[in-house]
Amino acid sequence: MAGRLLRVSSFATAVVASSGFYLYNKKLDFNDLSLVRFGRAAATTIIISYDYLCLRNMEYGTEEYWELKSQVHRRSAERLRDLCCTNRGTFIKVGQHLGALDYLLPDEYTSTLKVLHSNAPQSSVEEIHQVIREDLGKEISDLFVSFDENPRGAASLAQVHKAVLHDGRTVAVKVQHPKVRTQSSKDIVVMEALVNMVHWLFPDFAFMWLVEEAKKNMPLELDFLNEGRNAEKLAAMLAHFPWLRIPKIHWELSTTRILTMDYAEGGQVNDRGYMKTHGIDVNEISQNLGKMYSEMIFVQGFVHCDPHPGNVLVWKCPNTNKTEIVLLDHGLYQNLHPDFRLAYCRLWQSLIKGDMKGIERYSRRLGAGELYPLFACVLTARSWTSINAGIGKTPVTCSEDVEIRRNAALYLPQISDLLNRVPRQMLLLLKSNDLLRGIETTLQTRASSSSFIIMSRCCTRAIARHKRSKARSRLRRLQITLSESLTLWQIGLYELFLWIFVALLCYIKELGI
């Protein structure tokens, strides 16, 4: 028996030693091993779950309960952030999405996870050189006159380097992190298993929709040729906006893992200090951002779904002195189904006017069912009182924002149920809404009525275009066009009235009356 144990232990020692020697020679990062990544994620999930289970020993609703719950939220968010930064790739992408869910998650989570947008880990210079060598078949020195090895930006899936071509043009080279593609599918399986486990422990927790979206969208985001095609398609669609710039793609230096485009200068769209220094009007930027997204959502039905501040730059051209918006990262787009887009148009028209029957009708049509009041609140991030009055007529207040956050915690199970029942297209629109709303809040332009005026115009145009496509006679098409023109004229008149009213208020304030 002792001899057998000795032989088994000797064999095991030899296997471990040879495996260790092999891994050492391969210079394998243990973080790349699925077992290690799963173990780390599982351990984090168990610790967070246990932390929340301890709340059951507290008396619900007491001051001590809410204080302890806030502390648990903060600790859990920090653990989740650290897990995302360590496992990288898909974990960071999902963490970024969670950080944008202001209407759903407590502030402790969103404020902690938002750093993932700007502090994503970087790949080493050697890894970047290897990807370029494998995909383009040449050394960096053969492709570029110069290549800045310090990335200009690092994101969850890739990082961007500034380079100069042999013909003197300056370009941005987006290079995918080398391990993301192989790890992403395994990571999603891990997330799916852990989310199911948490749901078993806490039945009110229902975030399967988030994993499903990651499973569907990750392959698209990892294909940089798809991103290049999206960029060119949007540039053609929005060519009538002279202030919008989408960098030109250099196809001869692009692959599924590398995207080379014109280099774009500018500051992030939420950087008020940069705008002040460069004489950029924040109200103009906010209005143009609203025009761009309203056109994409309501009129074109082709929507850029990742407008976080790092993907939207502002720039004042020194030659023309005109302000431009530069839109980057075109990996994730949503093609809206025509019926969905029209229902969404009519819902926003109803929300702006305070048409309660319309809000119920089109919310139900979009899958909200009897949860339509909650759906309207989630979509607009406004209180039910403001929705009843018409969100186009009631300005946003700080007290209302506090009320929304407090109610989000109380209605978490209903919100989770709602997000699981609405069409998948709606989830990306909600994400886009949240990111744009965050930019408006930072620029302090959210209380402005201009965004609703812009949306009203786009909804009117979209619905008129749909009606014309269904009309059977020229007379009917003419009637639709005249009605559209009249509605647009009324919106313009209302906008002029608001402008005169605000100007008078400013004049009275200056006089000290």
Side-chain angles (χ1 to χ4, degrees), residues 364-389:
R364 287 182 179 277
R365 193 170 293 180
L366 289 168
E370 72 282 359
L371 294 176
Y372 72 90
L374 182 62
F375 179 57
C377 293
V378 167
L379 184 61
T380 60
R382 302 295 301 274
S383 68
W384 186 241
T385 303
S386 296
I387 289 169
N388 271 274

mmCIF file of all heavy atoms in Angstrom, residues 364-389:
data_model
loop_
_atom_site.group_PDB
_atom_site.id
_atom_site.type_symbol
_atom_site.label_atom_id
_atom_site.label_comp_id
_atom_site.label_asym_id
_atom_site.label_seq_id
_atom_site.Cartn_x
_atom_site.Cartn_y
_atom_site.Cartn_z
ATOM 1 N N ARG A 364 -47.938 49.754 -23.993
ATOM 2 C CA ARG A 364 -48.395 48.364 -24.104
ATOM 3 C C ARG A 364 -47.946 47.760 -25.434
ATOM 4 O O ARG A 364 -47.572 46.582 -25.503
ATOM 5 C CB ARG A 364 -49.914 48.296 -23.973
ATOM 6 C CG ARG A 364 -50.432 48.536 -22.550
ATOM 7 C CD ARG A 364 -51.942 48.406 -22.486
ATOM 8 N NE ARG A 364 -52.463 48.604 -21.147
ATOM 9 C CZ ARG A 364 -52.525 47.678 -20.199
ATOM 10 N NH1 ARG A 364 -52.087 46.453 -20.454
ATOM 11 N NH2 ARG A 364 -53.031 47.941 -19.008
ATOM 12 N N ARG A 365 -48.000 48.556 -26.486
ATOM 13 C CA ARG A 365 -47.580 48.069 -27.798
ATOM 14 C C ARG A 365 -46.095 47.698 -27.811
ATOM 15 O O ARG A 365 -45.660 46.831 -28.563
ATOM 16 C CB ARG A 365 -47.872 49.131 -28.862
ATOM 17 C CG ARG A 365 -47.777 48.616 -30.285
ATOM 18 C CD ARG A 365 -48.316 49.619 -31.283
ATOM 19 N NE ARG A 365 -49.772 49.819 -31.149
ATOM 20 C CZ ARG A 365 -50.480 50.655 -31.910
ATOM 21 N NH1 ARG A 365 -49.869 51.370 -32.839
ATOM 22 N NH2 ARG A 365 -51.777 50.772 -31.726
ATOM 23 N N LEU A 366 -45.324 48.375 -26.957
ATOM 24 C CA LEU A 366 -43.887 48.107 -26.860
ATOM 25 C C LEU A 366 -43.560 47.042 -25.816
ATOM 26 O O LEU A 366 -42.394 46.835 -25.478
ATOM 27 C CB LEU A 366 -43.132 49.404 -26.545
ATOM 28 C CG LEU A 366 -43.083 50.420 -27.691
ATOM 29 C CD1 LEU A 366 -42.578 51.765 -27.213
ATOM 30 C CD2 LEU A 366 -42.208 49.893 -28.830
ATOM 31 N N GLY A 367 -44.596 46.380 -25.290
ATOM 32 C CA GLY A 367 -44.366 45.219 -24.441
ATOM 33 C C GLY A 367 -44.422 45.457 -22.948
ATOM 34 O O GLY A 367 -44.162 44.534 -22.166
ATOM 35 N N ALA A 368 -44.743 46.690 -22.514
ATOM 36 C CA ALA A 368 -44.715 46.990 -21.079
ATOM 37 C C ALA A 368 -45.916 46.412 -20.335
ATOM 38 O O ALA A 368 -45.856 46.217 -19.110
ATOM 39 C CB ALA A 368 -44.653 48.500 -20.867
ATOM 40 N N GLY A 369 -47.022 46.154 -21.028
ATOM 41 C CA GLY A 369 -48.214 45.607 -20.390
ATOM 42 C C GLY A 369 -48.756 46.524 -19.309
ATOM 43 O O GLY A 369 -48.756 47.759 -19.455
ATOM 44 N N GLU A 370 -49.180 45.918 -18.179
ATOM 45 C CA GLU A 370 -49.758 46.718 -17.091
ATOM 46 C C GLU A 370 -48.703 47.550 -16.355
ATOM 47 O O GLU A 370 -49.052 48.401 -15.529
ATOM 48 C CB GLU A 370 -50.484 45.798 -16.099
ATOM 49 C CG GLU A 370 -49.596 44.934 -15.223
ATOM 50 C CD GLU A 370 -49.045 43.704 -15.939
ATOM 51 O OE1 GLU A 370 -49.374 43.513 -17.135
ATOM 52 O OE2 GLU A 370 -48.288 42.943 -15.303
ATOM 53 N N LEU A 371 -47.428 47.332 -16.666
ATOM 54 C CA LEU A 371 -46.354 48.113 -16.046
ATOM 55 C C LEU A 371 -46.067 49.397 -16.824
ATOM 56 O O LEU A 371 -45.003 49.989 -16.667
ATOM 57 C CB LEU A 371 -45.077 47.269 -15.941
ATOM 58 C CG LEU A 371 -45.124 46.058 -15.003
ATOM 59 C CD1 LEU A 371 -43.827 45.263 -15.091
ATOM 60 C CD2 LEU A 371 -45.373 46.504 -13.568
ATOM 61 N N TYR A 372 -47.006 49.828 -17.657
ATOM 62 C CA TYR A 372 -46.751 51.002 -18.504
ATOM 63 C C TYR A 372 -46.413 52.268 -17.712
ATOM 64 O O TYR A 372 -45.590 53.075 -18.163
ATOM 65 C CB TYR A 372 -47.931 51.255 -19.459
ATOM 66 C CG TYR A 372 -49.186 51.795 -18.808
ATOM 67 C CD1 TYR A 372 -49.388 53.166 -18.676
ATOM 68 C CD2 TYR A 372 -50.174 50.930 -18.339
ATOM 69 C CE1 TYR A 372 -50.538 53.658 -18.079
ATOM 70 C CE2 TYR A 372 -51.319 51.413 -17.742
ATOM 71 C CZ TYR A 372 -51.497 52.789 -17.609
ATOM 72 O OH TYR A 372 -52.630 53.285 -17.017
ATOM 73 N N PRO A 373 -47.000 52.522 -16.507
ATOM 74 C CA PRO A 373 -46.572 53.731 -15.765
ATOM 75 C C PRO A 373 -45.094 53.667 -15.371
ATOM 76 O O PRO A 373 -44.363 54.657 -15.486
ATOM 77 C CB PRO A 373 -47.479 53.739 -14.528
ATOM 78 C CG PRO A 373 -48.651 52.896 -14.895
ATOM 79 C CD PRO A 373 -48.090 51.830 -15.784
ATOM 80 N N LEU A 374 -44.654 52.486 -14.933
ATOM 81 C CA LEU A 374 -43.250 52.308 -14.566
ATOM 82 C C LEU A 374 -42.359 52.442 -15.793
ATOM 83 O O LEU A 374 -41.276 53.043 -15.735
ATOM 84 C CB LEU A 374 -43.063 50.928 -13.927
ATOM 85 C CG LEU A 374 -41.659 50.580 -13.430
ATOM 86 C CD1 LEU A 374 -41.208 51.537 -12.341
ATOM 87 C CD2 LEU A 374 -41.616 49.141 -12.927
ATOM 88 N N PHE A 375 -42.809 51.896 -16.922
ATOM 89 C CA PHE A 375 -42.055 51.990 -18.172
ATOM 90 C C PHE A 375 -41.842 53.444 -18.566
ATOM 91 O O PHE A 375 -40.738 53.846 -18.959
ATOM 92 C CB PHE A 375 -42.801 51.241 -19.276
ATOM 93 C CG PHE A 375 -42.127 51.284 -20.615
ATOM 94 C CD1 PHE A 375 -40.829 50.834 -20.785
ATOM 95 C CD2 PHE A 375 -42.802 51.781 -21.730
ATOM 96 C CE1 PHE A 375 -40.208 50.866 -22.021
ATOM 97 C CE2 PHE A 375 -42.191 51.816 -22.979
ATOM 98 C CZ PHE A 375 -40.893 51.362 -23.122
ATOM 99 N N ALA A 376 -42.881 54.261 -18.462
ATOM 100 C CA ALA A 376 -42.772 55.686 -18.801
ATOM 101 C C ALA A 376 -41.763 56.386 -17.893
ATOM 102 O O ALA A 376 -40.976 57.228 -18.355
ATOM 103 C CB ALA A 376 -44.141 56.347 -18.685
ATOM 104 N N CYS A 377 -41.753 56.027 -16.614
ATOM 105 C CA CYS A 377 -40.813 56.636 -15.662
ATOM 106 C C CYS A 377 -39.378 56.202 -15.958
ATOM 107 O O CYS A 377 -38.447 57.020 -15.912
ATOM 108 C CB CYS A 377 -41.184 56.260 -14.230
ATOM 109 S SG CYS A 377 -42.744 56.967 -13.655
ATOM 110 N N VAL A 378 -39.180 54.914 -16.274
ATOM 111 C CA VAL A 378 -37.839 54.407 -16.579
ATOM 112 C C VAL A 378 -37.307 55.037 -17.863
ATOM 113 O O VAL A 378 -36.143 55.437 -17.951
ATOM 114 C CB VAL A 378 -37.873 52.867 -16.704
ATOM 115 C CG1 VAL A 378 -36.595 52.333 -17.335
ATOM 116 C CG2 VAL A 378 -38.078 52.234 -15.333
ATOM 117 N N LEU A 379 -38.167 55.143 -18.868
ATOM 118 C CA LEU A 379 -37.761 55.665 -20.170
ATOM 119 C C LEU A 379 -37.339 57.131 -20.091
ATOM 120 O O LEU A 379 -36.360 57.552 -20.715
ATOM 121 C CB LEU A 379 -38.913 55.512 -21.162
ATOM 122 C CG LEU A 379 -38.651 55.916 -22.611
ATOM 123 C CD1 LEU A 379 -37.539 55.084 -23.213
ATOM 124 C CD2 LEU A 379 -39.926 55.769 -23.435
ATOM 125 N N THR A 380 -38.059 57.914 -19.300
ATOM 126 C CA THR A 380 -37.810 59.360 -19.245
ATOM 127 C C THR A 380 -36.978 59.782 -18.050
ATOM 128 O O THR A 380 -36.490 60.915 -18.014
ATOM 129 C CB THR A 380 -39.147 60.114 -19.174
ATOM 130 O OG1 THR A 380 -39.856 59.699 -17.990
ATOM 131 C CG2 THR A 380 -40.002 59.824 -20.390
ATOM 132 N N ALA A 381 -36.843 58.885 -17.053
ATOM 133 C CA ALA A 381 -36.216 59.229 -15.770
ATOM 134 C C ALA A 381 -36.935 60.423 -15.133
ATOM 135 O O ALA A 381 -36.322 61.307 -14.549
ATOM 136 C CB ALA A 381 -34.730 59.526 -15.932
ATOM 137 N N ARG A 382 -38.257 60.430 -15.266
ATOM 138 C CA ARG A 382 -39.096 61.466 -14.666
ATOM 139 C C ARG A 382 -40.140 60.821 -13.764
ATOM 140 O O ARG A 382 -40.462 59.641 -13.909
ATOM 141 C CB ARG A 382 -39.807 62.290 -15.759
ATOM 142 C CG ARG A 382 -38.875 62.967 -16.751
ATOM 143 C CD ARG A 382 -37.998 64.026 -16.098
ATOM 144 N NE ARG A 382 -38.744 65.085 -15.456
ATOM 145 C CZ ARG A 382 -39.195 66.186 -16.088
ATOM 146 N NH1 ARG A 382 -38.958 66.330 -17.383
ATOM 147 N NH2 ARG A 382 -39.840 67.125 -15.426
ATOM 148 N N SER A 383 -40.673 61.600 -12.847
ATOM 149 C CA SER A 383 -41.697 61.089 -11.936
ATOM 150 C C SER A 383 -43.037 60.963 -12.666
ATOM 151 O O SER A 383 -43.262 61.596 -13.703
ATOM 152 C CB SER A 383 -41.842 62.031 -10.741
ATOM 153 O OG SER A 383 -42.386 63.269 -11.162
ATOM 154 N N TRP A 384 -43.939 60.157 -12.090
ATOM 155 C CA TRP A 384 -45.257 59.977 -12.686
ATOM 156 C C TRP A 384 -46.034 61.290 -12.678
ATOM 157 O O TRP A 384 -46.832 61.556 -13.582
ATOM 158 C CB TRP A 384 -46.011 58.884 -11.936
ATOM 159 C CG TRP A 384 -47.322 58.518 -12.552
ATOM 160 C CD1 TRP A 384 -48.554 58.611 -11.987
ATOM 161 C CD2 TRP A 384 -47.545 57.991 -13.868
ATOM 162 N NE1 TRP A 384 -49.539 58.183 -12.852
ATOM 163 C CE2 TRP A 384 -48.937 57.791 -14.023
ATOM 164 C CE3 TRP A 384 -46.702 57.677 -14.936
ATOM 165 C CZ2 TRP A 384 -49.501 57.290 -15.189
ATOM 166 C CZ3 TRP A 384 -47.268 57.178 -16.103
ATOM 167 C CH2 TRP A 384 -48.644 56.989 -16.221
ATOM 168 N N THR A 385 -45.789 62.142 -11.685
ATOM 169 C CA THR A 385 -46.439 63.465 -11.629
ATOM 170 C C THR A 385 -46.040 64.300 -12.835
ATOM 171 O O THR A 385 -46.894 64.925 -13.496
ATOM 172 C CB THR A 385 -46.047 64.204 -10.335
ATOM 173 O OG1 THR A 385 -46.397 63.392 -9.209
ATOM 174 C CG2 THR A 385 -46.745 65.547 -10.247
ATOM 175 N N SER A 386 -44.748 64.324 -13.165
ATOM 176 C CA SER A 386 -44.256 65.091 -14.319
ATOM 177 C C SER A 386 -44.797 64.515 -15.620
ATOM 178 O O SER A 386 -45.122 65.258 -16.555
ATOM 179 C CB SER A 386 -42.722 65.085 -14.352
ATOM 180 O OG SER A 386 -42.197 65.737 -13.223
ATOM 181 N N ILE A 387 -44.902 63.187 -15.691
ATOM 182 C CA ILE A 387 -45.419 62.546 -16.902
ATOM 183 C C ILE A 387 -46.884 62.904 -17.114
ATOM 184 O O ILE A 387 -47.319 63.167 -18.236
ATOM 185 C CB ILE A 387 -45.217 61.025 -16.817
ATOM 186 C CG1 ILE A 387 -43.720 60.705 -16.958
ATOM 187 C CG2 ILE A 387 -46.009 60.296 -17.905
ATOM 188 C CD1 ILE A 387 -43.353 59.289 -16.638
ATOM 189 N N ASN A 388 -47.650 62.946 -16.037
ATOM 190 C CA ASN A 388 -49.062 63.350 -16.143
ATOM 191 C C ASN A 388 -49.204 64.766 -16.669
ATOM 192 O O ASN A 388 -50.126 65.082 -17.419
ATOM 193 C CB ASN A 388 -49.747 63.234 -14.774
ATOM 194 C CG ASN A 388 -50.334 61.864 -14.534
ATOM 195 O OD1 ASN A 388 -51.458 61.579 -14.925
ATOM 196 N ND2 ASN A 388 -49.554 60.987 -13.917
ATOM 197 N N ALA A 389 -48.280 65.642 -16.275
ATOM 198 C CA ALA A 389 -48.336 67.043 -16.701
ATOM 199 C C ALA A 389 -47.776 67.233 -18.107
ATOM 200 O O ALA A 389 -48.047 68.248 -18.758
ATOM 201 C CB ALA A 389 -47.570 67.918 -15.711
#
